Amino acid sequence: MTNECKQRIAVYPGSFDPVTLGHIDIIRRSAKQFDKVIVAVLNNLSKNPLFTVEEKKELLRTATADIPNVEVDGFRDLLVNYMDKKEAHVIVRGIRTVTDFEYEMQLASTNQKLNDRIETIFMMTNPKYSYLSSSMVKEIARFGGAVGEFVTPDVEQALRRKYSDMN
């Protein structure tokens, strides 16, 4: 591929534990803006995830199967190093609240300092998902609450299986 027709590749990183309809909305909207969107599942060692990286990747692949320019991958490295490997120059981040913005601004500034070829684009969450978080979904599911309006049917089933195995 020549420089003149280089693909515009964005990376949407996250822990996606589990992926919610809010995440999927950001993925769909990002896919309209870029030639390729890589949904990169972070193997975050500082968190105690409910799902393995492989399980999260499979749930994301199922949820995004109808979006042809989306690729699902995992990484365990500095995001800027991963971006270089993937020849991506844009990080996509969803913003729900002012608190999110403050945290994301710190990350974006740090990433820019580490690699000045990388830009971060903040995408405002659709208002109907502004309250939604993976933590909230897990809390509801842990106590047997209905999460079908927050996640895909596959994710809802996976949550039921996880929490039934724990009981």
Side-chain angles (χ1 to χ4, degrees):
M1 189 173 280
T2 66
N3 285 341
E4 294 135 23
C5 60
K6 196 168 197 169
Q7 274 194 319
R8 294 174 310 134
I9 302 170
V11 173
Y12 179 35
S15 56
F16 305 105
D17 191 45
V19 61
T20 68
L21 295 179
H23 293 128
I24 294 167
D25 179 61
I26 296 289
I27 294 166
R28 286 188 184 288
R29 291 166 47 210
S30 298
K32 293 176 185 173
Q33 304 302 316
F34 298 95
D35 299 318
K36 180 178 185 179
V37 175
I38 302 169
V39 181
V41 180
L42 170 63
N43 187 357
N44 190 339
L45 301 175
S46 67
K47 290 187 177 182
N48 186 18
L50 180 62
F51 293 98
T52 67
V53 170
E54 287 307 314
E55 288 170 327
K56 292 186 268 188
K57 285 169 36 179
E58 187 54 37
L59 290 169
L60 278 158
R61 283 187 187 109
T62 301
T64 60
D66 65 324
I67 314 170
N69 60 330
V70 169
E71 172 187 317
V72 176
D73 194 18
F75 75 104
R76 188 182 195 163
D77 194 355
L78 281 176
L79 180 56
V80 293
N81 294 343
Y82 178 79
M83 302 274 298
D84 278 344
K85 289 176 196 161
K86 293 296 186 173
E87 298 182 3
H89 298 285
V90 176
I91 300 168
V92 173
R93 297 298 294 168
I95 301 286
R96 294 172 299 188
T97 64
V98 171
T99 306
D100 281 354
F101 179 76
E102 289 174 359
Y103 173 73
E104 294 295 344
M105 187 69 182
Q106 278 185 310
L107 288 178
S109 297
T110 303
N111 287 329
Q112 179 76 34
K113 193 78 167 165
L114 292 171
N115 184 335
D116 64 2
R117 294 181 314 277
I118 292 176
E119 293 291 338
T120 299
I121 292 181
F122 299 124
M123 192 170 279
M124 296 306 299
T125 299
N126 183 317
K128 69 182 177 181
Y129 303 121
S130 62
Y131 62 89
L132 189 55
S133 72
S134 294
S135 299
M136 181 194 72
V137 168
K138 287 188 286 193
E139 188 72 10
I140 294 167
R142 177 182 304 135
F143 293 104
V147 294
E149 66 184 277
F150 311 126
V151 297
T152 65
D154 287 337
V155 173
E156 183 177 23
Q157 290 172 5
L159 283 163
R160 276 199 206 117
R161 279 192 303 275
K162 283 286 182 182
Y163 287 118
S164 70
D165 290 349
M166 292 178 178
N167 294 331

